[in-house]
Amino acid sequence: MMRRVLLAILILLPAVLNAQKPVEKTIASLVQRLERAKEDTNKVKLLNELAAAYAAVNTTEGIKYGEQGLILAEQAAWAKGKAMLYHTLGSNYLATASYPGATRYFDKALQAYEALGDAGGIAQCLVSIGIVNVSQGSYQSALDNYRKAQVLYEQVGDKRGIARVLGQTGNVYQNQSNDAVALEYLLKALKMNEELGDKSGIASNLNSIGIINIDQLAFPRALENFQKALKINRALNNKSEIARNLKNMGNVYISVRQYPEALEHYSSALKIHEELGDKSGIARNLGNMGNVYQELHDYPMALQYLLKASKMNEELGEKYPMANNLGSIGCVYLAMAKERPATLDVADRAAHQRSNLNAAITYLRKAVAVDKEIGNLHEFQNFAFFLSEALALTGNHKDALETYNQYSAAKDSIYSVSNNLKIAQLEQKREDELRQKQMEMQQLKISAAKHERRYYIMGLATLMVVSGGLFRRFRGARRNKRRLEDKNTLIAAEKENADQMRIRAERSERFQQQFLANMSHEIRTPMNAVNGMTDVLLNKEPRPDQLRYLQIIAKSSDVLLHIINDILDLSKIESGKLELETIDFSLADTIKQVKETLSFRAEEKGLQLVSRIGGDVPPVLCGDPFRLNQILINLGGNAIKFTEKGGVELDVKLVSAQEDKVSLHFSVTDTGIGIPADKMHLLFESFRQVHSSDSRIYGGNGLGLSISRQLIELQGGVITVDSTVGAGTTFSFELTYHTGSAERLLKKTQDEQKADGSMLNGLRILLVDDNEYNRMVASETLHLKADVVIDEATNGEEAILLLKRRDYDVVLMDIQMPVMNGLEATAYIRNRMPAPKKSVPIIALTASLLRGDTEMCMAAGMNACMTKPFKAWQLIAALAEATKGGPVISGAQRHEEMSQGDEETQDEDGKVTNLAYLRGFCDGDAARMKKFVAIYIAAVPQLQAGINTALAAGDLRTVAGQIHAFKPKWMMMGMKQSAKLGSGIEKLCTENAEVAEIRELVTQLFAYAELSLGELAGR
C-alpha cells in the first residue's frame, strides 16, 4: 500500500497541551479569566492561550482571538506578546493546511524572537517552519531547521523542546523511508516525553512508531500503538489527533485487507476533519477511501474520491500526498485499460483501452514528475514502473524503456541508501557524543556570560542616569552584536555539521571499498581452486564421460566468474551499468553449453529439453556470449523449475539481416503451471515471486528474471511474456549481434589451448600465497606445462627470507596475506634489497577485482597483475612476458637441487588411508606426494583443536564449517571412511542434534585421524 504523508501537528503551548482536562473546559476557564483581567499584558497572554487552545478544535475562533491579542500587544508595545501571537496565528493556519498564511506568521514570529534574542522562541519558530517544509516535501530544509532548533533548545535546557524536535526529526526520516533512523529518534522522544509526563507528546510518538510498524509489517503492534495514542487523545479531547489515529488504524486494516473496517475508520476521521475545517485532513482521508475502493476493484468510486483528494492537494500545495493520489488515479486507469468489457464490440474495446491508457499515462507522468521534484524515491520507483507498463501497452517502447531505466536507477539508489544506513547510525552515535561534550562547554560559557552580563547591566544603569539616549544606542549595539553572535554560532554549527557529513561519507566510501575488497578475496579464492583443479583434471586425459562433466564445470565456472566480477566492481554498482564484451563466439557452442548445464535438472524431473537454431542463423557472432548464456540459463532454469511434465524448448530464429548485423529472436517455452494475468507485474521484480508459496515449493530467491531483464535491456532488447495458466509460458526477446569471424574464433581457441609452457623450462619461481590450495593450483598448473622449480612461502616475510638466500627468475605474489601482505613485501624488495634481487620480476596474484587494483599493484613496484582464478595459458603468458631474458639458474643446477623423496609404497588392505588417488593426482611423483602428505599431517592437530573448542562452546555451526573445509584433505589421502563420517557429523550439526551424540562421532573421527598419522608418518 502507498505510503501516506504524515503532517506533524505542532505542539502549541505546554500549558494547554499538558492539561489533563478536555479542551472545552480549558477554553471556558480562559474566557472567564479574560473577562476578569485588567492589565493589557495579562489579557494578551490569555488571548494567546485561547487562540492556541482553539487551534485544536476551531481555527476560525483561534484566528479571531489571535488577531485581537495581536492588536492589543501592538497597542501596549509589548514585543514578546507580538512574537507569541505571530506564532500562534501561524499554528492556526497550519492546522487548516493554509501554508502561505502559516509561513507568513511563522517568519514574523522568527524575526520578532531574533530581535528579542529569545533562543527558545527562535527554536519554536524553526520547528514550526520545519513542519511546513515537511508538508511541502522539502525534507532537507526541515531537517536543517530541526537541527538548528535542537542546538538552541539544548543551550537553554528546554527538555520539552528537545523531545519535540526529536519526534519531528523522526517523522522526516520516516517519510524518507529511513525507518531505522526514524525509530531511533522517536524512541528517544518517547522516553523524554514519558519522563516529562507530556501525554500529548507520548501520543504523537506512539502514532509515528505505529506507522513504522506498518512499514515493518508488524500490524498487531501498529494497531496496539495507535489504540494507546487514541485513548490518550480522547482523554485530552484533541480532535485533530483523534482523526489522525483513526486514519492510521484504517491504514492497518487496509494493509491486512479488512476493507469494511478500513472504510469505517477513514469515514470517522473524515467527519472530524470536516468538523474542524481541516482541508488537509479531508484530502488525506478522501485519498485513503479511494485506495480502498481501488483494492475492491470499484474503479468509478475510487476515481471519485481520488480526483477530489488530488484537487484539494493541489489547492493546498501539498506535493507529497498529491503525487500519491495522482499515481493512484493513473493506476486505476491502467487497471481499467486492461479490462475487456464483454458488452463492447472489438472496436469499442480498443477505444476503451486507448482512452484509459492515455489517461493513465497523463496522471502517472504527473505523479512521477512531482515525486522526482520532492525526492520521494520509493513512490517515484513505484509509479515509474506502472508508467513504463502503460507506455509499452500503447506501443511506445522507446519511452517505456527509458522510463523503466529510471525505475531501475531509483531502485539502485534506494539499495545504496539501505546499505549505508548501518554505517550512518554508527557515525551518528559518535556525533551525539561529540555534541554532548560541546554542549557541556557551551553551558560553561553561558554561565560565565551571565556573570559578565550583570556587570554590564550595572554599568548601563549608571549610564542611563547620565544619558538615556546613550543607553538606547548602547543597547542597540549590544542587541546587534548578540544577533551577529547568534548568527555566527548557527553558521559555525552548520559548517560543523557539513564537515561531519563529509567525513561520514568518506568513511562510508572507504568502508565499502574495504568490504568489497575483502568479499572479492573470499569469493574468488575458492573460485580459483575450482577453476584451477578443473584445468588440472582436464589435462589428466580423463575418460570421455569425465571429460564432458569437467568441460561443463569449466564453462559454468567461467560464467559464474563473470557474474562475480560484475557484482564486485564498485564503479559498476555505483553507476548501475555492466560492461559488455565484444568477442567472437559460436552460437551453437553457447546453446549447447546452456543445454548441457540444464540437462541434469531436466532429466531428474523426466522432462524433454529441446534446442533449435534456424538454418539461416550465422554460426559465429560477435558480442557477449557470457551474458547470453546467463540469460538463457536463468530462463531455462526457471522453466524447468515450474514444469512437472512435458518439456522445455529453446528456440533461436533469424528476424532480419543487414550487412554485418543480424537480429535474432530467442524464446524459451515450457509446459508448466503458467502465470496468472494479475501477477504478471511481479515477474521482473527483484526478490519477488508470483505466489508467496513459490519459494517454499520451488526454491529460488526471485532474482533470475530480474537479472535477465536487465541484461536484455542493456543489450538493447525487450523481454516479453505469453502465458496461459495450466498450459505453459513462453519468454521471448530479440537481440542484435554483429556477424563474427570463424577464422578469428579458431585462432583464439587454438592460442588458448596451446598454452605451451616449454618456454618456461628452467625457471625458478617463488610462489607466495597464504592459501595452500591456491599454491597447489598454481604449482600443479605449472608443473603440468613446464619443467620449473617452485619454492613456496605463506606470507611476504617468508618470501623475503627465501629471496635473500637464493635467486629467483620471477615471484608470484598474493596481495592479501597475514604478517606481511604482498604490497608491503614488494615495497621492501624494491626499496631495501640489493641489486639484482631488487629487480626480480613480481607478478601480483589477487582475488580482488575492484577498479584501481592494477594501478595499486603497479604503484607498489609489481610488473603485472593476474586475477584469480586464472587459466593455464594466462599464467604461462604472464610468466613468459615477465622473464623474457630467460632463467638465471641453469637446468642442471636446478635438477641437482631437487629433492628425490622416498620411494612410493603400496597401500595395504585394512588401512585408513589409501594413496592411490594421490599417486594418480601427482603422476607418481614421490616428492609431490610427500608435500601433500605433509600438508595433511600439519593440518590434523589444528582441526582437532578447532573442533574441541567449538564443541566446548556448543557452537555446532563452526564444527560443521571446519569439517566441511577439511573434506578435500580426506579425499586426497584416500580416507573415504573419514570423509563419510565427517559428512554425517556435518549434517547432524546443521540439524542441531545433541552435542553428546556429535561428540561421540567426533571421537571416532579423531581415532581415524590418529591412525592415519601413524600410517603416513613414514611416507
Side-chain angles (χ1 to χ4, degrees), residues 466-501:
V466 177
S467 174
L470 180 61
F471 170 74
R472 283 192 296 273
R473 285 195 297 273
F474 187 84
R475 185 177 63 180
R478 285 289 299 160
R479 182 181 302 156
N480 290 336
K481 179 183 177 183
R482 186 163 56 248
R483 290 167 67 180
L484 181 60
E485 289 173 349
D486 289 342
K487 290 182 179 179
N488 288 338
T489 300
L490 291 175
I491 292 171
E494 289 179 4
K495 183 178 181 299
E496 180 185 347
N497 181 60
D499 290 340
Q500 291 294 330
M501 291 178 68

Side-chain angles (χ1 to χ4, degrees), residues 357-462:
L357 280 176
N358 290 336
I361 291 169
T362 299
Y363 282 100
L364 285 168
R365 275 183 169 154
K366 289 180 181 179
V368 167
V370 177
D371 280 325
K372 184 176 182 180
E373 177 188 347
I374 64 178
N376 185 6
L377 284 179
H378 277 79
E379 294 303 332
F380 176 88
Q381 168 202 336
N382 186 30
F383 295 134
F385 174 83
F386 289 112
L387 176 57
S388 67
E389 182 182 3
L391 289 166
L393 288 172
T394 64
N396 190 348
H397 297 297
K398 180 181 178 181
D399 286 352
L401 180 58
E402 181 181 345
T403 305
Y404 202 95
N405 289 336
Q406 294 175 3
Y407 154 79
S408 298
K411 286 184 66 177
D412 291 343
S413 179
I414 293 168
Y415 177 74
S416 178
V417 170
S418 177
N419 271 346
N420 290 327
L421 190 55
K422 290 185 179 179
I423 300 171
Q425 288 176 286
L426 290 174
E427 294 298 330
Q428 184 65 43
K429 290 182 179 179
R430 294 180 183 176
E431 290 180 15
D432 290 343
E433 292 173 0
L434 177 63
R435 186 163 57 190
Q436 182 62 34
K437 291 180 181 178
Q438 290 173 339
M439 289 309 306
E440 291 174 359
M441 292 298 296
Q442 188 67 27
Q443 289 296 333
L444 291 175
K445 290 181 181 179
I446 291 172
S447 178
K450 286 181 180 178
H451 290 293
E452 181 183 355
R453 195 176 294 117
R454 291 176 185 172
Y455 293 111
Y456 277 127
I457 291 172
M458 292 173 63
L460 288 173
T462 304

Side-chain angles (χ1 to χ4, degrees), residues 607 946 1008:
L607 302 176
Y1008 285 142

